[in-house]
Amino acid sequence: MLKEFIPFIDKDRYFIIQLFEFLRSQQGKKHSLATIQEILQVSPYKTKTTINEVITLSKRFPRIKVTFEDEFLYAVNLDNALLNQIINLEAHNSLRFKIFLHTSLNIYNQSDSEFQKTIGISPSTYFRLKRAFTQELGLDKINCMHKSEVFARYYIYQVLVYFSFFDYFPTHLQNNKNFIKTKNSIAYGTLLWKLSPSESQRKQFNYFVFVSVLRSKNGHHVPETDDQYLVNFVQKEQILLFIKHLRKDWYMLDKNALLITRYCISFLINTNNLPTSQLDCLENFTDIEEVTNQQVNVIDELFGDSLDKNELIDLKNKLLKANTRFLNPFFKTDLFLTEQQWNYDNFLMNDSIQNFVTEFTNLLQHSQSSDYNMAELNQINKNYYLILLPKLIDHKLNLPFHIVVDFSEGSLLNDYIKGGLNNISGLNIKIDQRITNLTDIYLTDTFNPTFSKHQIIWDALPKQEDWRQLRSFILNLQKHRFSKLDLDDK
């Protein structure tokens, strides 16, 4: 699980999660008591207690098999979906998480003493847990949540989405009239702004609005001092209609309805959900379009005629949405709260690609007055990579891998192997009859000393593992080819 959400889990429950995560990464193997103790960094007694709790919990999920015999722990059939369910379950049962829900949303309208009685703890335990939780979460986050209602709502939203809290919400609360009104407002906004959310995006919408409704119910309203975190827009028809909806259905004053509408638009932009057709309602849209057009000119120069008109439009729309997010004041709020990190190890990269992305980032920075910090720059670079790499791969890298199949048994075996090669998906393989200067791989059962490139020797009928290794070998060749790619070569 992500480390920034660990403070919400009780210590003993986090040991259970740690052990399940270890078993997921090493399943099918037997692990000694000493190994488990080293992983958890606890006493032998606590290690055995955690193992017993893991075995008990695993019985709630029939697919998982966890056994502990002769001082060795063994697990199979544990996948990421089940692990995610276990993390959610342990979070929802954690006293720390329950205290966070009580202090931030107070869903059940309880006083502190009523809440303490409900979960079965004393006032001293309540304040001790609350103090420890606050310290682990960090004073910077706590202070910003007190300073800004926008910060507070968005952080609560992110925590609840991560632990899928409302997905397990009691039915009688889901049928509450305010929650029904909430869903009606989401449906109206979806039609108004022509949104087409997927299931995960619809979940984001629900959680975002649910948190806002619960915060307002408890007297925590978005103040005018939070203006600095929200986008500004020109009041076009959709904006005016949504403001009118908030006034009529939620009995908001004009100034409050305007603030909430700005907050909703900021959220849709930051989660990449606002369609490009709706972006021209923003006050700074001219600036966004200008930097996007500069980037599109760079793309046009790089690809020349190899990109057709539809591909260029698709790239421009993706860049428009990304740049709108980066030039949205809410972008910095999001990154501060989540401390998002990005691992580039799985990206196909080289210096030429890096320089290309850096040029895009520099164009973006020149379009605004304040500089981005390192975390923000990492997020910006990541998004540009995700937009550009598919096109770079399609147009600059998707050259065929030339393979010659030549087994001493002759055409019968050769045709069998060629059939297997044709079934390898996701790779542009071209099978040639004879070795040429283009040949990348010579696949055979006898070594050829005159061929200086890659030879793969199968001295027997290939097994499934041989095919996997061949596919992995071709992917590594692709990465190597990409590392040598020079974008200046037309």
Side-chain angles (χ1 to χ4, degrees), residues 474-485:
I474 296 173
L475 286 171
N476 285 330
L477 284 182
Q478 187 182 53
K479 288 183 180 180
H480 179 73
R481 181 184 285 178
F482 198 78
S483 69
K484 301 298 182 184
L485 177 65

Side-chain angles (χ1 to χ4, degrees), residues 60-77:
R60 297 180 60 172
F61 304 91
R63 284 170 50 198
I64 307 175
K65 181 184 178 184
V66 181
T67 57
F68 185 59
E69 296 176 354
D70 300 325
E71 302 292 289
F72 281 91
L73 188 64
Y74 176 84
V76 290
N77 300 329

